């Protein structure tokens, strides 16, 4: 092989971190590297709940990809991938076709709607900047419209969040903070607004520490969040949802259903014809596709087994960035020679925000954090992610420093 062609799909945590590492490890003469992303910017997906609620402007969560990559070493193509053709070693884009010697798939996640009627058409998601911005504007419009009607409609002020996992809980924390501001701005009585969480299991954050779950529920309930536990969201309409609790159906009128009840890998992965496990590619210890070792799959598109508990690792930015480090190392080894590295997840813990100045988390194995201290830790983690991609300059430009709560 002369100068190998390396194509990276997606400039999320996985893809952009890989690109940032590769441009330090390889020279212009070592390889032709192309990074493809559908937008000209990278967004911090882990901040999207803030953008969606309107507590943080979306421009704070995104930055230009060209500011991160060295254009002498990496060719950035702003385009949308439409198909991956592993047997032809080609990737189809809306505006062309790329061929590769090594492919890195980091196309991220989509909402999983589990075939629930009406969800895809009527619910709002928190999966990218476009979706977050739409949800923020939709909620504001509901408040703005409320006092402009002769018969004000309660469904405008009922905000339902489907799913009480980390995404749902983090969004609830932000929207609980945002609602009093919206009430003030649009002269709406706070008592008229309902924020309702619908969670299928009998607890929010299933599997997380019970003491921290209790803390989170108390924090959110104190700001007016209602929990419906053991409640399955069964149907979503433009003006309401149907839930089922203990076999009984209940309708809740709402113009705002936020679907935060699970994610799946980008569906292009499943459509590629590569063997998959519920849409994700189970990669080998070097993060390669077993049947096509020139393809690496990282981030939310990859499935890696946690042998300790015999379950896959959950899809997180934390693991995506660690995978990117190993992937970049292994690509360099393939191009310049050297040993490939095996991937091993180093769990740094989990911290979830509950809104302004409040959070919960478990770090350093079993150290529990909550309240202001946890919220500071969450900002440190958010800043660390920026640092890993763009160094100190990016932290100073986009970082979170409002530590006072
Ligand atoms: P993504 O971040 O989804 O990036 C994929 C990239 O591919 C994007 O740039 C996208 O535009 C691009 N792309 C997609 N399709 C195409 C296409 N067809 N053509 C071209 N480009 C395309 N994880 C944590 O570890 N900690 C947290 O605190 C945390 N908080 C979260 C909060 C929220 C609200 C959400 C939704 C998720 C959170 N996560 C968190 C999970 C984390 O965001 C994901 O695991 C992570 O984003 C996965 O990284 P990725 O690079 O695989 O994909
Ligand atoms: P999730 O799968 O973790 O949680 C989804 C929740 O929705 C579950 O509690 C599930 O019981 C519930 N649910 C599913 N179907 C339902 C239905 N029909 N009706 C009602 N409830 C239903 O998904 P997520 O919260 O989007 O998280 C996705 C990934 O991102 C996870 O790996 C998570 O760890 C990660 N994440 C991490 C953080 C953090 O570390 N701070 C924040 C957000 C997301």
């Amino acid at each position: 092989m002369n100068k190998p062609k390396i194509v990276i799909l997606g400039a999320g945590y996985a893809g952009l971190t890989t690109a940032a590492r590769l441009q330090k490890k390889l020279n212009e003469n070592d390889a032709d590297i192309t990074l493809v992303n559908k937008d000209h910017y990278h967004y911090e997906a882990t901040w999207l709940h803030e953008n969606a609620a309107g507590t943080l402007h979306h421009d704070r969560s995104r930055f230009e990809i060209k500011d991160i990559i060295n254009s002498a070493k990496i060719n950035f193509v702003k385009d949308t991938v439409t198909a991956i053709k592993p047997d032809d070693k080609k990737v189809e884009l809306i505006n062309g076709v790329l061929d590769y010697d090594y492919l890195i798939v980091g196309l991220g996640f989509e909402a999983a709607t589990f075939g629930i009627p009406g969800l895809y058409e009527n619910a709002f998601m928190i999966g990218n900047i476009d979706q977050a911005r739409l949800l923020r504007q939709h909620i504001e419009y509901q408040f703005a419209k409320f006092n402009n009607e002769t018969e004000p409609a309660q469904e405008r002020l009922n905000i339902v969040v489907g799913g009480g996992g980390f995404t749902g809980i983090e969004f609830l924390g932000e929207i609980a903070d945002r609602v009093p501001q919206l009430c003030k701005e649009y002269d709406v009585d706070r008592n008229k607004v309902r924020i309702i969480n619908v969670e299928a299991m009998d607890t929010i954050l299933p599997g997380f520490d019970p003491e921290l779950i209790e803390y989170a529920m108390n924090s959110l309930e104190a700001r007016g969040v209602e929990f419906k536990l053991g409640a399955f969201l069964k149907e979503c309409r433009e003006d309401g949802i149907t839930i089922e609790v203990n076999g009984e159906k209940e309708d809740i009128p709402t113009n705002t259903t936020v679907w935060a009840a699970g994610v799946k890998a980008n569906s292009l992965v499943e459509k590629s014809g590569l063997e998959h496990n519920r849409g994700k590619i189970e990669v080998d210890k070097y993060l390669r596709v077993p049947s096509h070792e020139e393809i690496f799959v990282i981030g939310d598109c990859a499935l890696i087994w946690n042998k300790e508990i015999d379950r896959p690792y959950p899809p997180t930015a934390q693991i995506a960035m660690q995978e990117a480090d190993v992937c970049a190392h292994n690509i360099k080894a393939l191009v310049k020679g050297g040993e490939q590295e095996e991937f091993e997840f180093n769990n740094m813990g989990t911290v979830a925000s509950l809104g302004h100045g409040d959070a919960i988390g478990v770090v350093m194995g079993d150290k529990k954090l909550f309240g202001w201290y946890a919220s500071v830790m969450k900002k440190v983690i958010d800043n660390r992610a920026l640092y890993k991609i763009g160094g100190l300059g990016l932290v100073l430009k986009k970082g979170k420093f409002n530590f006072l709560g």
Side-chain angles (χ1 to χ4, degrees):
M1 205 185 288
N2 292 331
K3 202 170 157 187
K5 289 183 187 158
I6 301 167
V7 174
I8 305 170
L9 304 182
Y13 291 100
L16 192 56
T17 307
T18 306
R21 295 289 170 276
L22 276 181
Q23 68 187 4
K24 291 202 173 124
K25 291 174 187 286
L26 297 178
N27 288 320
E28 291 91 321
N29 301 328
D30 293 327
D32 281 331
I33 309 176
T34 302
L35 171 67
V36 185
N37 195 65
K38 67 167 133 188
D39 302 304
H40 55 89
Y41 56 83
H42 162 95
Y43 52 86
E44 294 293 302
T46 63
W47 305 9
L48 286 172
H49 54 289
E50 299 171 69
N51 310 140
T55 49
L56 184 76
H57 193 273
H58 55 269
D59 281 341
R60 287 286 316 282
S61 302
R62 62 176 175 173
F63 47 85
E64 296 291 325
I65 290 166
K66 67 173 171 46
D67 290 348
I68 300 300
I69 57 165
N70 176 346
S71 58
K73 291 186 174 181
I74 297 183
N75 174 34
F76 172 57
V77 175
K78 183 197 160 299
D79 206 339
T80 299
V81 180
T82 52
I84 302 167
K85 304 278 178 191
D87 294 336
D88 303 332
K89 291 196 181 178
K90 286 189 191 308
V91 175
E92 293 176 0
L93 314 176
I94 288 180
N95 299 301
V97 177
L98 294 171
D99 45 32
Y100 61 82
D101 297 304
Y102 299 113
L103 180 69
I104 297 142
V105 180
L107 289 169
F109 66 93
E110 305 176 349
T113 51
F114 309 117
I116 295 171
L119 255 189
Y120 185 75
E121 297 80 5
N122 300 312
F124 292 83
M125 318 283 173
I126 316 178
N128 55 42
I129 292 281
D130 293 326
Q131 292 176 349
R133 184 166 46 196
L134 179 68
L135 176 53
R136 186 202 78 211
Q137 292 198 345
H138 168 85
I139 292 172
E140 280 198 31
Y141 181 76
Q142 300 309 306
F143 278 78
K145 189 81 177 153
F146 188 74
N147 285 334
N148 279 287
E149 289 169 324
T150 38
E151 277 183 44
Q154 179 58 38
E155 56 266 34
R156 292 201 187 280
L157 301 184
N158 289 353
I159 299 169
V160 172
V161 178
F166 282 109
T167 301
I169 293 308
E170 288 199 320
F171 178 73
L172 285 163
E174 298 303 318
I175 200 67
D177 282 351
R178 179 77 178 123
V179 158
Q181 298 167 357
L182 288 167
C183 288
K184 199 162 171 228
E185 192 175 343
Y186 294 100
D187 298 312
V188 170
D189 178 356
R190 172 65 186 89
N191 295 319
K192 289 194 170 133
V193 183
R194 291 180 71 192
I195 307 170
I196 305 158
N197 180 235
V198 175
E199 165 54 51
M201 307 294 276
D202 57 9
T203 172
I204 59 165
L205 304 176
F208 202 53
D209 180 86
E211 197 187 350
L212 295 177
I213 288 176
E214 195 185 335
Y215 179 90
M217 284 190 73
N218 288 339
S219 165
L220 293 168
E221 278 174 341
R223 283 175 282 154
V225 175
E226 302 168 40
F227 288 99
K228 289 190 179 282
L229 302 178
F232 283 82
L233 200 152
K234 286 282 184 187
E235 192 190 329
C236 179
R237 297 170 297 280
E238 206 178 346
D239 60 356
I241 58 162
T242 302
I243 61 170
E244 193 174 301
V245 191
N246 296 325
E248 298 281 318
K249 289 211 165 124
E250 183 189 333
D251 286 344
I252 303 175
T254 176
N255 289 356
T256 311
T257 302
V258 182
W259 183 242
V263 291
K264 59 179 185 174
N266 190 309
S267 47
L268 287 172
V269 168
E270 187 171 348
K271 289 178 193 150
S272 69
L274 292 169
E275 192 179 325
H276 65 89
N277 183 337
R278 291 198 220 158
K280 293 189 176 196
I281 306 284
E282 197 166 339
V283 289
D284 69 12
K285 58 189 178 188
Y286 303 117
L287 305 174
R288 302 173 309 192
V289 179
S291 64
H292 291 71
E293 291 186 353
E294 69 284 3
I295 306 181
F296 290 74
V297 182
I298 52 178
D300 280 14
C301 295
L303 187 140
I304 300 176
W305 217 254
N306 179 351
K307 295 193 184 84
E308 275 174 31
I309 55 166
D310 201 24
R311 290 182 66 168
Y313 286 111
T316 63
Q318 183 185 168
I319 197 168
M321 295 179 98
Q322 291 183 22
E323 288 164 16
D325 288 341
V326 172
C327 177
H329 173 93
N330 290 348
I331 292 280
K332 182 197 164 194
L334 287 166
V335 173
K336 296 186 81 164
E339 289 281 306
Q340 295 218 36
E341 197 181 306
E342 293 183 14
F343 178 75
E344 245 175 71
F345 179 48
N346 175 19
N347 189 350
M348 316 270 283
T350 300
V351 182
S353 67
L354 298 172
H356 189 59
D358 203 2
I360 48 169
V362 179
V363 293
M364 291 185 283
D366 58 359
K367 188 164 174 21
K368 294 182 203 176
L369 307 175
F370 52 86
W372 173 79
Y373 190 61
S375 85
V376 171
M377 182 58 86
K378 179 77 172 105
K379 285 168 191 144
V380 169
I381 293 167
D382 288 350
N383 291 344
R384 185 175 178 272
L386 293 174
Y387 182 78
K388 281 198 80 178
I389 287 181
L392 192 57
L394 187 61
V395 178
L396 293 173
K397 208 162 148 194
K398 293 285 173 180
K400 295 180 177 173
F401 300 106
N402 53 339
F403 294 126
L404 290 179

